Amino acid sequence: MSHVPVDKEIVPAPLHRIALIGNSMPRRCGIATFTTHCRDAMAEAFPNLIVDHYAMDDGRGEIDYPADVIRIPQFDAIAYSEAARRIEESGAEAIWLQHEFGIFGGPAGDMILGLLDRTNLPLVSTFHTILESPNPHERRVADALIARSSQIMVMAQRGRDILLSHYDVPDSKIAVIPHGVPDRPHVDPETVKPLFGWQNRPVILTFGLLAPDKGIDVMIRAMPDVVTRHPDALYVVLGATHPNIVREQGGEVLRDELKALACSLGVERNVAFVDRYVEQEELLDQLQAADIYVTPYLNPAQVTSGTLSYAVGMGKPIVSTPYVQAREVLGSDVGCLVPFRDPQAMAQALIALLDDKVLSDTHATRAYAYGRTMIWSELARNVERLLSEARAIQPARLIPRRSYDILAPDLSAVLRMSDATGMFQHGILSVPDRRHGYCIDDNARALILMSQMPALDDKLRDQWMTTYAAFVQYAWNPDRSSFRNFMAFDRSWCEDAGSEDSCGRAVWSLGVTARDAQFEKHRRWAMALFDHSMVAHRALGSPRSKAFLILGASAILDASPGHGLAREMIGTLSADLMTLHATKSEWTWFEDVLAYDNARLPQALLLAGQHLGDKRIIDRGVATLDWLTDKQTAPEGHFRAIGTESFGRAFGHPLPFDQQPLEAQASVEAAATAYGVTKDARWLSVADNAYRWFLGQNDNHMPLATVADGGCYDGLTPHGVNENQGAESILALQLASCAMNAMSNRQYIIPKGDNRDIEMLSA
């Protein structure tokens, strides 16, 4: 018997972990309250779901957040990047963002875009404010969030209408989910009033942080008419003044003005101010004790009000001005709407409810029934569905089919960036930018490349090796016993002495040239200038300059094993590096920060230990390169260069962007050195992994190498590649390709995966 398959609804697998971004209690603002209650509701509705709560902090140091809340300093751009890294590595499957322009740093809060740019997780954004007439910054941020979001949650139908009509958001991308409310039984206010001494008094309540746009003055102006009909009526204004208002006004100016207004109208005994921040349970008690809830807000565009939602959830008769949410919720006989800034209309509506208990009870019953659709558990279930669907429809990143074969070294881009003086520093796209002239850093690298390039025409090699050597020679300033670094396009030097690192790199290029240059004339020149300049650089203090000097001196010893000065320098400098280890737990490094060209430090120790026959130095080199390799490996296993955002962050976990080609090259060459010294084949895998970064095996799955012309983009950013091609990047690719081809020619093998299959490194 054959069976006809029946289509079944595909139920998304349950979520295991999400990142919730907003504010957090005890911060006193509506977004903090909402975000915290969202977290609690999700945790209660889905006990197996981990909700990581990321809270924006304004940096005032006034708030003691719970231990499980992860703070993001509002105005610290690097903190957003750090949060993105933490979210990515936490195993979160989706992000739920509470968006309000004012809680994030930058113009219109655009710093949050930096976080979202740095993660590929599906995003559900709750828009708490949707502007019909945004300024340019607000529009830019809103458009970026809309484009990045898988789903947009709004809490009122009007929010959906604005997104459809003003932002061209597809209707399928918008979900209307009402503001959550607690689930409490509906009770007679008279049973609760004794808790607050309100018995036998008609109680009208407003709660929330006090601010000028709340319209409290309008409600106070309505009280004389209410009191004329109901002399015992009490209007309770519950809540502290908004902290920002207190700071701006230098105290309780607003509250004092409202109290003075009540006195001037003769209703001071009918208006009570509860000047404190009230926790939720007491707040709900006071709501249940009220006969009528009132929201006299002044802003017609206000899309949501948590206070209105709570009043509906408690089953309160409501009088409100017709802002967006009030029109939607109260327009179906759930409450009464009155015009903005109209005390007489407000008084009439209140008197009608206080006069007619049947009418009041009818409104209360309808409000409570409507509120059952808004309880927090319903919001949690609806949001979990949105997040699950966003995860399910998140398109898999399509990795283009490409070859990861090792590229043959190609001088085309190097020569494109060079003239008779040397190699230009920077490019505008692929065109040299003459405004920035030249530097010894790049010309020293180019000189090293000319020694490493295989199968190059002798005349071409001679011409360009001489060009780059001449730049290095001319950079030597005998008056200062130092190398200059920066040269303007008119060949004038911009300084008398370059940085320590640039001097160290110049000496390194001399050592490699003395060892590897194909022509004796270049080897002799390099050895002579090395001897002349090395003594002057004994006092270089930066860790990288010491490492560069060791690399240069090691090459000299390879060429001339009896070179006493080189051996002496290696001994002294390696001892310096050995003493530089930071002592913080689990920080196995030479400094308290990670910066550029990091792998050169352990590479220098490996070569120093080899030349000195000192296993202790080799072991330190292996340990630090192991540690760095771990830091430069993404959770998915590909190479992730230390991003420039990480520079200067003491003991900070590295951030992924912007990634520079220099780091991949350094890691390739350091791993090759580690294999040469230890014969441990795992270093071949490390080198191969770092090299594939150039070819597209990276965070963005985008190649940095432009294979057709030997070029290389300047970096990997959250948005893609930096399409400029400067000397450093081009040289990094070509030198890495030389190193990989050299390993291939020596028939090194690379273990692959846990099955230990092997693959020949081949071009």
Side-chain angles (χ1 to χ4, degrees), residues 470-491:
F471 189 98
V472 173
Q473 179 65 61
Y474 187 42
W476 174 249
N477 183 351
D479 295 334
R480 293 289 299 272
S481 294
S482 178
F483 288 97
R484 305 175 181 95
N485 190 10
F486 296 110
M487 176 190 280
F489 180 61
D490 63 3
R491 294 187 176 181

Side-chain angles (χ1 to χ4, degrees), residues 128-327:
H128 289 263
T129 296
I130 309 168
L131 301 171
E132 294 185 69
S133 301
N135 65 37
H137 283 305
E138 290 164 342
R139 182 69 197 224
R140 172 177 59 84
V141 171
D143 285 343
L145 280 173
I146 289 166
R148 175 68 177 82
S149 299
S150 302
Q151 288 282 299
I152 298 169
M153 170 184 161
V154 295
M155 289 179 275
Q157 182 61 43
R158 179 57 182 160
R160 167 179 278 185
D161 295 341
I162 296 172
L163 289 174
L164 291 172
S165 61
H166 290 70
Y167 293 87
D168 297 322
V169 180
D171 189 56
S172 60
K173 195 172 182 175
I174 307 169
V176 180
I177 299 175
H179 192 296
V181 300
D183 189 10
R184 273 200 177 189
H186 192 208
V187 300
D188 182 347
E190 298 301 328
T191 65
V192 189
K193 287 180 182 179
L195 292 175
F196 308 103
W198 297 342
Q199 54 267 38
N200 302 317
R201 299 191 71 176
V203 176
I204 304 162
L205 177 69
T206 293
F207 83 84
L209 294 174
L210 199 60
D213 62 351
K214 295 297 180 68
I216 306 301
D217 60 321
V218 178
M219 178 57 207
I220 292 175
R221 293 180 191 280
M223 283 304 293
D225 288 346
V226 174
V227 171
T228 299
R229 187 65 172 264
H230 295 275
D232 292 329
L234 177 66
Y235 176 42
V236 178
V237 182
L238 173 62
T241 307
H242 197 293
N244 291 345
I245 302 300
V246 173
R247 280 192 289 267
E248 290 168 6
Q249 297 184 343
E252 292 286 355
V253 176
L254 174 61
R255 187 177 298 273
D256 291 342
E257 289 176 347
L258 293 173
K259 289 180 178 179
L261 175 63
C263 288
S264 70
L265 296 173
V267 293
E268 66 273 17
R269 293 178 180 173
N270 299 89
V271 179
F273 289 88
V274 181
D275 181 13
R276 57 190 175 86
Y277 187 81
V278 180
E279 298 297 338
Q280 176 169 291
E281 292 307 306
E282 181 184 350
L283 166 62
L284 298 178
D285 289 340
Q286 297 208 32
L287 260 176
Q288 289 186 312
D291 294 288
I292 302 173
Y293 188 76
V294 60
T295 54
Y297 297 167
L298 305 181
N299 181 10
Q302 181 161 340
V303 175
T304 59
S305 167
T307 68
L308 178 69
S309 298
Y310 274 37
V312 171
M314 294 301 102
K316 295 291 103 180
I318 297 170
V319 176
S320 176
T321 51
Y323 55 90
V324 171
Q325 186 186 13
R327 290 200 306 270

Side-chain angles (χ1 to χ4, degrees), residues 221-555:
R221 293 180 191 280
M223 283 304 293
D225 288 346
V226 174
V227 171
T228 299
R229 187 65 172 264
H230 295 275
D232 292 329
L234 177 66
Y235 176 42
V236 178
V237 182
L238 173 62
T241 307
H242 197 293
N244 291 345
I245 302 300
V246 173
R247 280 192 289 267
E248 290 168 6
Q249 297 184 343
E252 292 286 355
V253 176
L254 174 61
R255 187 177 298 273
D256 291 342
E257 289 176 347
L258 293 173
K259 289 180 178 179
L261 175 63
C263 288
S264 70
L265 296 173
V267 293
E268 66 273 17
R269 293 178 180 173
N270 299 89
V271 179
F273 289 88
V274 181
D275 181 13
R276 57 190 175 86
Y277 187 81
V278 180
E279 298 297 338
Q280 176 169 291
E281 292 307 306
E282 181 184 350
L283 166 62
L284 298 178
D285 289 340
Q286 297 208 32
L287 260 176
Q288 289 186 312
D291 294 288
I292 302 173
Y293 188 76
V294 60
T295 54
Y297 297 167
L298 305 181
N299 181 10
Q302 181 161 340
V303 175
T304 59
S305 167
T307 68
L308 178 69
S309 298
Y310 274 37
V312 171
M314 294 301 102
K316 295 291 103 180
I318 297 170
V319 176
S320 176
T321 51
Y323 55 90
V324 171
Q325 186 186 13
R327 290 200 306 270
E328 292 186 15
V329 173
L330 306 183
S332 55
D333 295 328
V334 174
C336 301
L337 294 175
V338 298
F340 292 101
R341 303 178 187 273
D342 190 336
Q344 288 73 32
M346 186 162 286
Q348 291 171 9
L350 291 166
I351 291 169
L353 288 170
L354 292 173
D355 282 351
D356 189 341
K357 190 172 189 313
V358 173
L359 176 63
S360 177
D361 288 347
T362 300
H363 278 236
T365 300
R366 289 173 178 166
Y368 189 75
Y370 190 95
R372 295 316 87 208
T373 68
M374 301 167 59
I375 59 176
W376 282 114
S377 58
E378 286 297 310
L379 179 143
R381 280 191 285 272
N382 287 326
V383 169
E384 196 275 343
R385 175 180 53 79
L386 279 186
L387 292 164
S388 294
E389 291 175 355
R391 179 190 60 181
I393 65 175
Q394 179 83 348
R397 183 183 287 275
L398 298 177
I399 302 175
R401 293 179 61 85
R402 62 171 63 92
S403 170
Y404 287 111
D405 289 344
I406 301 167
L407 302 178
D410 182 350
L411 271 184
S412 301
V414 175
L415 301 187
R416 179 183 74 219
M417 287 288 291
S418 300
D419 66 4
T421 301
M423 192 168 185
F424 292 104
Q425 281 192 82
H426 298 298
I428 301 175
L429 298 179
S430 61
V431 176
D433 184 358
R434 293 178 175 177
R435 294 173 304 165
H436 296 285
Y438 319 81
C439 70
I440 197 171
D441 284 318
D442 295 328
N443 282 275
R445 294 185 185 103
L447 181 59
I448 291 175
L449 177 63
M450 297 311 299
S451 297
Q452 309 303 306
M453 286 289 294
L456 186 63
D457 176 78
D458 281 352
K459 295 181 77 171
L460 192 65
R461 190 191 302 274
D462 188 11
Q463 174 190 348
W464 289 104
M465 175 158 271
T466 300
T467 298
Y468 303 131
F471 189 98
V472 173
Q473 179 65 61
Y474 187 42
W476 174 249
N477 183 351
D479 295 334
R480 293 289 299 272
S481 294
S482 178
F483 288 97
R484 305 175 181 95
N485 190 10
F486 296 110
M487 176 190 280
F489 180 61
D490 63 3
R491 294 187 176 181
S492 62
W493 289 106
C494 303
E495 66 211 344
D496 291 328
S499 67
E500 290 192 349
D501 289 2
S502 65
C503 291
R505 190 173 282 108
V507 173
W508 175 17
S509 72
L510 295 174
V512 173
T513 303
R515 180 189 65 193
D516 295 339
Q518 278 76 0
F519 301 119
E520 183 183 358
K521 60 184 178 182
H522 294 134
R523 296 195 298 271
R524 290 179 59 195
W525 161 80
M527 184 68 79
L529 186 53
F530 178 91
D531 288 343
H532 189 61
S533 64
M534 189 66 173
V535 174
H537 291 105
R538 287 178 184 229
L540 293 185
S542 80
R544 278 162 191 75
S545 66
K546 294 176 186 290
F548 297 153
L549 291 177
I550 290 173
L551 296 175
S554 295

